[in-house]
Amino acid sequence: QTRPSERRTSPFFQFNAAHIGPVTLSVARQTEHMKAFDINPRIGVGPIRIGMTRDEVRQHLGQPDGDDDESEWNLDDMAVDFDSSGKVKFIELAESENYKATLNGKCLHDLPASDAVAHVTAIAPYNENDPELGYTHVFPDLQLSLWRPVIPDDEQDADDPTGHRFESVGVGGDGYFAA
């Protein structure tokens, strides 16, 4: 099945939670000088915080790989979205050969989709009424989303991995995913 709409819960990560304790999401860049970023609910990713200005983000990540009025792309597979006042409102991490995004020790991009959902659901429930459920799983208490472009079905070629794992994880600021 193809995705019904292009709502901004797509290829990347959305996360933001009420204080939920010691939950962290780490993104590790696999290079000679591996960088690891922890995502803290309702706070941000590593040194990048929800509410930071574009200049503050650049102080931590350097010049972006690309940008427009609303977004910057950094570190190959990270998108940072800004609100109308120029402050970070959303951080999205795509599936990448360069990074691992982990929540409590498990890489959400590497897990089969049902296992990734179960892993996050052990922390907080997802919105069962989401109109894109299956493509997207939104966890409102965490302001976290998981996204994949298709839901595999019996007609999909057995060798086609598309949709068997989530391609994007997103972290949003308070209210990004209204319940």
Side-chain angles (χ1 to χ4, degrees):
Q1 294 178 333
T2 57
R3 191 156 186 246
S5 75
E6 291 303 316
R7 182 173 94 186
R8 180 69 165 148
T9 55
S10 64
F12 275 122
F13 215 93
Q14 300 170 359
F15 192 96
N16 184 346
H19 182 65
I20 59 170
V23 174
T24 60
L25 173 73
S26 298
V27 179
R29 185 172 190 178
Q30 298 175 332
T31 65
E32 257 182 49
H33 304 288
M34 183 178 283
K35 292 184 180 187
F37 299 113
D38 289 331
I39 293 179
N40 296 296
R42 299 185 186 268
I43 296 171
V45 178
I48 307 308
R49 301 289 185 244
I50 301 296
M52 274 186 162
T53 66
R54 196 177 288 253
D55 287 339
E56 290 170 325
V57 170
R58 289 178 179 182
Q59 286 173 6
H60 291 287
L61 298 179
Q63 289 300 310
D65 302 325
D67 65 347
D68 62 24
D69 291 341
E70 297 177 0
S71 302
E72 288 187 353
W73 297 272
N74 299 282
L75 306 173
D76 298 326
D77 297 304
M78 177 190 285
V80 179
D81 291 350
F82 299 89
D83 63 19
S84 60
S85 66
K87 299 200 175 179
V88 175
K89 68 177 182 179
F90 179 68
I91 304 163
E92 188 172 31
L93 304 163
E95 179 182 29
S96 174
E97 294 177 6
N98 300 314
Y99 308 90
K100 293 289 182 186
T102 61
L103 177 64
N104 287 353
K106 293 189 178 183
C107 179
L108 298 174
H109 291 118
D110 289 347
L111 293 173
S114 61
D115 291 351
V117 170
H119 185 66
V120 180
T121 301
I123 301 163
Y126 60 86
N127 177 359
E128 294 181 14
N129 297 313
D130 189 311
E132 295 184 7
L133 187 61
Y135 299 95
T136 301
H137 280 76
V138 174
F139 300 83
D141 291 346
L142 302 176
Q143 294 295 291
L144 170 91
S145 73
L146 304 172
W147 177 86
R148 60 184 169 175
V150 300
I151 300 171
D153 60 25
D154 294 337
E155 295 179 25
Q156 184 170 333
D157 187 319
D159 294 331
D160 183 358
T162 307
H164 290 278
R165 301 182 193 295
F166 289 103
E167 294 182 12
S168 171
V169 181
V171 178
D174 285 335
Y176 189 86
F177 296 107

